[in-house]
Amino acid sequence: MYFNKIRHPSNFSFANAHTNGSLTIGAKLVQATVRDLGEDVFHVELRDAKRWPLDARVLPLHDDAFAAADSRYQLQITDSGNLALNGAGGEAILSGIDGACLGACGSAWLVQFARNAQMRFFGQGEKVTGLEKTGKRTKYWNADVWADHAMHTIETGQADPQYAAVPYLLVRQGQQWVGILVDHPGAVFMDTGSNWFFFGKDDQNAPPAFWFGADEGVPAFYVIAGDSVASVTQRLQRLVGKTPLPPLWSLGHHQSRWGYAGTQHLQQLDAAFTQHAFPNDGLWLDIDYMERFKVFTISTEHFGDLAVELKQLQANGRRIVPILDPGVKVEVGYGVAASGQAADIFCHNPEGQPYVGFVWPGRTWFPDYSLPEGRDWWASYSKAFRASGFDGAWLDMNDPSTGAAEVDDMLFQRGAWPHWTYHNQYGTGMAQATRDGFLAARPDERPFLLARSAYTGSSRFTAVWTGDNFSSWHHLRTSIHCSLNLALSGIPFNGPDVPGFGGHADKELAIAWYKAGCLFPFMRNHASAGTAEQEPWVFGDVALETIRHHVRLRYKLLPYLYQLWNDQEQSGAAVMRPLFYDFPNTDGMELDRVDDQFLIGPAILQAPIVHQGQQTRLVTLPGQGRWMDVNSGQFLAGGRTIHVSSTADSTPIYLREGSLLPMQVGVRTSAAANDLADIELHVILGAGSEDTATLDYVADDGLSYGYQRGARSVYRMQARREGAVLLLHVEVLQAGWKPLRLRVVGYDGVTTLQLRTGGQTASMPLSPMTWHFSGGALAAMTSVPIDL
């Protein structure tokens, strides 16, 4: 497959008439339907049994999620065969190219819209091509990046496609936003105005356009229209599937390396994290823990009594997460291989035999997750794997990676489906089956999985890490906009390897990456074999102190981060998001061009240092409200860009005025030690503020599904200021778990707390305290513990 070449409209025939649900394309009729799903979500599909005979969409999306409200926008196919999206007032939002909108070229299909200079493009899933996507030509095909691309293109950030294929485009058109999700599992292509000419000249005969399509398969796509990025993104998430509330420990720090193999390494890491008082939850095992790299086996060289050894580590708050690869070694006497062959659940080759690829064990067979019985077979082994004592699973090589073997010879549905039908869905099928197995083993414990490869809807089953990156400043910068676009594309639980997988991280880069990534949705230190060690303590005592402080900050903020994941499960709200998710562009402040800052939820803004040798930068403070600088305690006016100087031990972070931030009390070294019913409530209201800060705070055990059965407490908190008095009203909405113990923390001159709860009002003085959010000392006032 050519990654850099896609189909061009010049070779297509286009619809020129639309009558009674049929399009005329060339001399043939094609059935066309536009379904209004409600809430300004639409689905378009073309059908021609001869031209597009195969529908390989395995994972259904949630078309029924929007029936509660009518649409205000209108999407229709005109009599001339053109697509038109109009707003509530009838204004044109998107228009197909007149006479060249819906097209076919043999089995290929294409949809083309008019493009103007004011349009901007975002999303596109896991791409390393910048935050904004104008002028990009791309293909969606899950790649084994280090095997499929030249290494220099990977190091310089030019490798495309990457490991995850999410064919979604977010279009800004003036003040309107439109999401387009291509409902197709194959190698979707997309062009947002790239240059097709060798010498940089535009085609003067072609109208400006953007287009998408695929080489075969049923043409189908969704259109989601709205007046904000947040509303479009939340409906996309509801469509593809919201992220289930993860276990609290998965939000902590994780340590991994290719080479960690068994109990000795795990015990050494446990001791080192304890010695350095460094918070950590996950200890990860790469392929060496297996017997000769055979999946679902344990090396007797590296483990003794597995159950006992795991329990000893877990008693110290550690969670053990080994790797799982889909490839099954071809070997006589290997029970997993024999079982799969007997059940005929391995992918076929064109000769009707099990397809053979070449991965870590050598010759390997591959489970066919497109088959329900194939997923059930894998789930049965995953159940035993989880029951053996491991806490999570890391799903790798599921692109699928086949070594030097041609993937097109891997067929699905026992040879009935060609490879393109399920290639991009393969990793998601593996994640679905693994999650089913974990739930079968521990029905009341939330599973945690991390996958390299992903597709539309994979967020229902697994988190995603952004694959094998490099220890470089370029890859640090790339990680920000890659993670932001994944979040905009319906994969919010993601993050990169810190401080890079390949190459050698030096002290400056390690510190910078930890400071930048300390609040990313997922945080794991992971390195390749043969690279310099990069555990947090290897860079010296000064670096360790800074790195440890910012990881401790992550743990202190776990109650806040947990609220964000609750919001994601309830409404589909993004966790890590760009500035323009919460704030509109204003004159002179184009937030959708800011690609090195981001928000963590609505309350925290990060503007990390991402260039070597620098400690200064410009910071954009969006909106009309104020932001509290955590390094000085000052409340700064928004709606402007400021020049900021940082230090080696701090990073620019700002808290949005009008926010209530629940935080952990003290310093905890694992999520297991975190009690969500014992918190500090930081009230971000400066002197003279007229805001009312509101939070519905949820507290549960952070691990089980008890919260779905009512074992959860919910508190509605509202705060405002009257001079130096902080007025806080706490209402108990649900009392299904432990009572709440609260310490109220105020800033910028508050001296007194007036608390109203349960119909009673009490007034109490606040006491001075000083703490370090990032680098600088932060003066605050705190209450005594209050039991509610």
Side-chain angles (χ1 to χ4, degrees):
M1 174 180 291
Y2 293 107
F3 290 149
N4 298 316
K5 297 182 179 182
I6 67 172
R7 307 256 180 179
H8 192 275
S10 299
N11 295 308
F12 282 71
S13 298
F14 288 93
N16 54 30
H18 177 232
T19 307
N20 298 325
S22 294
L23 288 171
T24 303
I25 300 180
K28 298 180 180 179
L29 291 179
V30 173
Q31 297 301 306
T33 58
V34 177
R35 290 186 295 135
D36 182 347
L37 305 180
E39 293 189 50
D40 302 314
V41 180
F42 306 89
H43 186 263
V44 181
E45 188 166 312
L46 307 183
R47 286 283 184 171
D48 181 338
K50 291 184 178 180
R51 192 189 293 268
W52 303 302
L54 186 54
D55 187 349
R57 292 170 288 183
V58 173
L59 186 67
L61 302 186
H62 300 301
D63 289 16
D64 58 351
F66 311 100
D70 294 335
S71 293
R72 298 173 298 117
Y73 293 71
Q74 183 180 45
L75 180 67
Q76 63 179 348
I77 302 177
T78 67
D79 292 342
S80 61
N82 197 6
L83 272 170
L85 175 67
N86 296 321
E91 69 278 14
I93 307 297
L94 284 184
S95 300
I97 296 291
D98 191 29
C101 179
L102 299 166
C105 175
S107 63
W109 58 272
L110 182 144
V111 179
Q112 188 173 207
F113 286 101
R115 174 176 54 86
N116 60 53
Q118 288 70 47
M119 281 184 177
R120 293 180 190 166
F121 303 93
F122 304 89
Q124 295 196 343
E126 187 185 278
K127 302 285 184 183
V128 293
T129 51
L131 179 64
E132 208 274 326
K133 303 296 187 182
T134 296
K136 306 298 183 184
R137 180 170 64 248
T138 191
K139 195 170 279 188
Y140 295 87
W141 186 256
N142 288 348
D144 178 2
V145 172
W146 280 32
D148 294 344
H149 294 291
M151 193 56 68
H152 75 275
T153 67
I154 301 169
E155 293 187 64
T156 56
Q158 301 176 62
D160 184 48
Q162 293 277 308
Y163 300 97
V166 186
Y168 175 74
L169 186 66
L170 179 63
V171 184
R172 175 192 163 193
Q173 170 69 303
Q175 299 303 311
Q176 301 294 312
W177 293 87
V178 181
I180 300 173
L181 176 66
V182 186
D183 184 20
H184 190 282
V188 170
F189 54 83
M190 192 175 290
D191 191 293
T192 56
S194 70
N195 177 29
W196 281 71
F197 294 86
F198 286 112
F199 302 106
K201 296 180 180 179
D202 292 331
D203 185 355
Q204 301 300 320
N205 298 317
F210 70 93
W211 68 83
F212 57 87
D215 292 339
E216 57 267 295
V218 174
F221 58 97
Y222 293 89
V223 175
I224 308 170
D227 56 9
S228 73
V229 175
S231 76
V232 171
T233 303
Q234 288 179 43
R235 280 174 288 148
L236 170 70
Q237 198 73 65
R238 289 162 56 199
L239 174 65
V240 303
K242 294 170 288 188
T243 303
L245 185 64
L248 186 62
W249 67 265
S250 68
L251 306 182
H253 179 270
H254 302 266
Q255 183 65 44
S256 181
R257 183 180 178 85
W258 180 2
Y260 295 165
T263 302
Q264 182 179 0
H265 288 121
L266 296 174
Q267 290 175 342
Q268 289 171 348
L269 288 167
D270 175 43
F273 279 114
T274 301
Q275 174 190 345
H276 295 293
F278 194 106
N280 185 80
D281 277 272
L283 300 178
W284 295 54
L285 293 166
D286 213 314
I287 56 176
D288 302 285
Y289 83 94
M290 294 181 264
E291 178 193 339
R292 293 185 291 122
F293 309 136
K294 294 189 296 184
V295 69
F296 297 122
T297 67
I298 304 297
S299 169
T300 55
E301 176 187 353
H302 297 301
F303 288 94
D305 188 326
L306 178 67
V308 170
E309 291 163 357
L310 292 180
K311 285 180 180 178
Q312 290 173 343
L313 292 160
Q314 290 159 347
N316 294 337
R318 312 303 180 196
R319 300 284 180 165
I320 312 306
V321 185
I323 198 170
L324 288 177
D325 292 345
V328 176
K329 183 176 178 61
V330 180
E331 180 178 273
V332 175
Y334 173 30
V336 178
S339 168
Q341 188 175 32
D344 190 22
I345 55 79
F346 292 128
C347 296
H348 286 196
N349 63 28
E351 295 303 311
Q353 301 298 317
Y355 168 85
V356 175
F358 295 85
V359 204
W360 302 119
R363 287 163 46 87
T364 49
W365 291 329
F366 294 81
D368 186 350
Y369 301 114
S370 76
L371 298 168
E373 58 269 34
R375 295 193 296 274
D376 290 344
W377 175 85
W378 183 268
S380 68
Y381 280 98
S382 299
K383 177 182 177 182
F385 178 85
R386 177 68 180 92
S388 71
F390 292 122
D391 296 284
W394 162 25
L395 311 180
D396 198 10
M397 310 297 282
N398 53 350
D399 320 295
S401 174
T402 61
E406 173 57 67
V407 294
D408 280 348
D409 291 335
M410 178 192 286
L411 308 179
F412 302 104
Q413 294 283 313
R414 298 194 168 93
W417 283 9
H419 185 74
W420 69 263
T421 57
Y422 199 70
H423 176 94
N424 287 339
Q425 302 178 88
Y426 191 84
T428 300
M430 181 185 182
Q432 181 181 4
T434 308
R435 184 178 178 87
D436 287 347
F438 273 42
L439 286 171
R442 301 284 180 89
D444 197 37
E445 188 168 322
R446 302 173 220 167
F448 174 64
L449 305 175
L450 182 76
R452 182 169 86 174
S453 195
Y455 176 68
T456 303
S458 66
S459 54
R460 305 181 210 177
F461 313 114
T462 182
V464 171
W465 100 97
T466 52
D468 296 340
N469 60 358
F470 269 90
S471 297
S472 73
W473 291 86
H474 176 81
H475 277 246
L476 167 57
R477 292 188 293 273
T478 296
S479 71
I480 295 174
H481 53 70
C482 181
S483 287
L484 289 173
N485 274 317
L486 273 169
L488 294 177
S489 303
I491 308 221
F493 203 172
N494 73 80
D497 287 337
V498 178
F501 174 72
H504 309 290
D506 62 20
K507 179 173 67 175
E508 184 185 5
L509 177 63
I511 292 172
W513 209 319
Y514 261 101
K515 289 194 293 186
C518 66
L519 296 180
F520 266 52
F522 177 69
M523 188 180 201
R524 179 182 71 161
N525 182 320
H526 182 47
S528 176
T531 62
E533 292 183 349
Q534 60 180 41
E535 288 80 6
W537 46 84
V538 304
F539 300 102
D541 291 343
V542 174
L544 172 62
E545 178 58 33
T546 300
I547 292 171
R548 177 173 52 206
H549 178 82
H550 286 87
V551 173
R552 285 178 174 176
L553 175 62
R554 180 182 186 89
Y555 276 75
K556 189 167 187 65
L557 284 164
L558 278 179
Y560 172 71
L561 298 177
Y562 194 72
Q563 306 308 303
L564 301 182
W565 289 107
N566 179 70
D567 292 344
Q568 161 63 208
E569 184 182 54
Q570 297 301 315
S571 69
V575 175
M576 179 180 177
R577 54 234 217 177
L579 303 189
F580 58 87
Y581 183 96
D582 288 86
F583 300 94
N585 284 354
T586 57
D587 291 341
M589 185 170 288
E590 296 181 296
L591 300 179
D592 54 9
R593 296 192 186 277
V594 179
D595 65 357
D596 60 354
Q597 296 180 217
F598 51 91
L599 297 164
I600 300 297
I604 300 178
L605 185 153
Q606 279 191 258
I609 302 297
V610 291
H611 291 275
Q612 187 175 14
Q614 295 186 8
Q615 288 299 341
T616 61
R617 61 160 296 157
L618 295 177
V619 173
T620 297
L621 298 177
Q624 299 306 307
R626 294 188 296 181
W627 294 86
M628 189 180 90
D629 181 345
V630 303
N631 288 299
S632 69
Q634 292 182 306
F635 281 77
L636 307 175
R640 60 187 178 130
T641 298
I642 60 176
H643 191 274
V644 172
S645 295
S646 186
T647 63
D649 63 349
S650 68
T651 187
I653 297 179
Y654 302 85
L655 307 181
R656 187 178 183 180
E657 186 169 37
S659 302
L660 297 178
L661 268 71
M663 298 190 197
Q664 189 182 68
V665 177
V667 177
R668 313 289 173 89
T669 56
S670 73
N674 193 313
D675 185 350
L676 293 172
D678 185 7
I679 64 168
E680 298 172 352
L681 182 69
H682 290 248
V683 182
I684 313 303
L685 292 171
S689 175
E690 298 180 355
D691 292 333
T692 297
T694 302
L695 172 69
D696 284 352
Y697 179 74
V698 302
D700 53 47
D701 64 16
L703 183 63
S704 77
Y705 286 103
Y707 76 97
Q708 295 182 346
R709 302 187 298 271
R712 161 180 278 185
S713 295
V714 184
Y715 302 87
R716 177 158 294 165
M717 304 174 179
Q718 293 182 308
R720 60 186 179 87
R721 280 187 69 153
E722 289 185 358
V725 178
L726 194 59
L727 295 92
L728 176 65
H729 177 213
V730 180
E731 179 184 0
V732 181
L733 300 183
Q734 180 179 329
W737 198 49
K738 299 178 355 183
L740 183 67
R741 168 165 279 202
L742 191 66
R743 297 157 184 81
V744 180
V745 179
Y747 296 89
D748 201 23
V750 297
T751 60
T752 305
L753 171 67
Q754 188 177 99
L755 175 67
R756 182 162 61 93
T757 183
Q760 303 293 317
T761 300
S763 184
M764 62 191 74
L766 300 177
S767 302
M769 65 174 281
T770 301
W771 72 289
H772 295 261
F773 195 107
S774 179
L778 196 56
M781 300 290 284
T782 183
S783 73
V784 297
I786 304 164
D787 292 314
L788 300 176

